[in-house]
Amino acid sequence: MSRLSEYFRKMAGTSISPPGVDLQEMLVSGLGGFVGIGLLALLESHLVAGTDLVLLIGSFGASAVLVYGAVKSPLAQPRNVLGGHLLSALVGVSAVKLLGPHTWLTPALAVGLSLILMHATRTLHPPGGATALIAVMGGPKIQQLGYLYVLLPVGAGAVLLLAVALLFNNLIPRRRYPEFWW
């Protein structure tokens, strides 16, 4: 088999898609996402509205999918959620400070280095890539935060999502969260 045909054969996949979940699991996952993101949005509207601070960023939506909808996934565990977001935020802010926000290289470097760092520290959390990208492309309000972005909104928001995930997921009899801490 030629290398070219082997290359294209890999694109066919090797398995079948996982089974779906029942209606109860769908509703519980949705309710968890509603509570977690709703609490962040509520706190943002009451605590930081009218300031230069933010508490809710787009990558938290993806984290909510993992911590409320895929609770057993290794990517949804506390180490990954907190470590992935914090390290990626640090990389994203550093990339902006070193290269500026308006080059093609800055977002690519922020996401690529975040991925390497998350793998190296066993904190892979896919929304972390978005957290790094938001540091670069989130606009003046985010960029003016500088390294404060790592703590607020990223650190505080990730801790709040985790706290809600612990309380909410363990209320459901057939759920258990987390699978591991560190």
Side-chain angles (χ1 to χ4, degrees):
M1 183 177 290
S2 74
R3 286 182 172 228
L4 186 60
S5 64
E6 173 63 18
Y7 173 75
F8 285 112
R9 194 181 62 76
K10 289 180 181 178
M11 295 180 193
T14 58
S15 185
I16 60 171
S17 63
V21 298
D22 62 29
L23 181 61
Q24 182 184 6
E25 185 65 20
M26 289 180 208
L27 295 175
V28 166
S29 297
L31 182 60
F34 175 82
V35 171
I37 295 298
L39 185 58
L40 274 174
L42 183 68
L43 290 174
E44 178 168 288
S45 69
H46 284 80
L47 297 179
V48 298
T51 72
D52 289 337
L53 301 174
V54 294
L55 193 53
L56 184 59
I57 57 175
S59 57
F60 289 156
S63 290
V65 169
L66 287 168
V67 300
Y68 306 114
V71 297
K72 292 186 179 294
S73 168
L75 306 175
Q77 302 310 307
R79 173 191 177 98
N80 298 70
V81 174
L82 198 54
H85 276 298
L86 289 175
L87 292 173
S88 297
L90 191 61
V91 168
V93 172
S94 297
V96 170
K97 291 204 173 286
L98 289 172
L99 302 171
H102 303 295
T103 72
W104 69 268
L105 185 60
T106 308
L109 193 62
V111 173
L113 288 177
S114 293
L115 249 169
I116 291 169
L117 194 55
M118 286 189 284
H119 270 305
T121 57
R122 297 183 303 118
T123 59
L124 189 64
H125 183 65
T131 296
L133 200 54
I134 290 167
V136 176
M137 305 180 77
K141 190 171 183 178
I142 292 291
Q143 290 168 357
Q144 287 170 357
L145 293 174
Y147 285 105
L148 180 59
Y149 173 74
V150 178
L151 299 176
L152 187 71
V154 174
V159 166
L160 190 64
L161 279 177
L162 282 174
V164 173
L166 282 170
L167 297 172
F168 179 82
N169 286 323
N170 290 312
L171 283 175
I172 312 303
R174 65 184 189 177
R175 281 190 176 202
R176 178 188 189 133
Y177 183 80
E179 293 293 311
F180 60 87
W181 276 94
W182 304 106

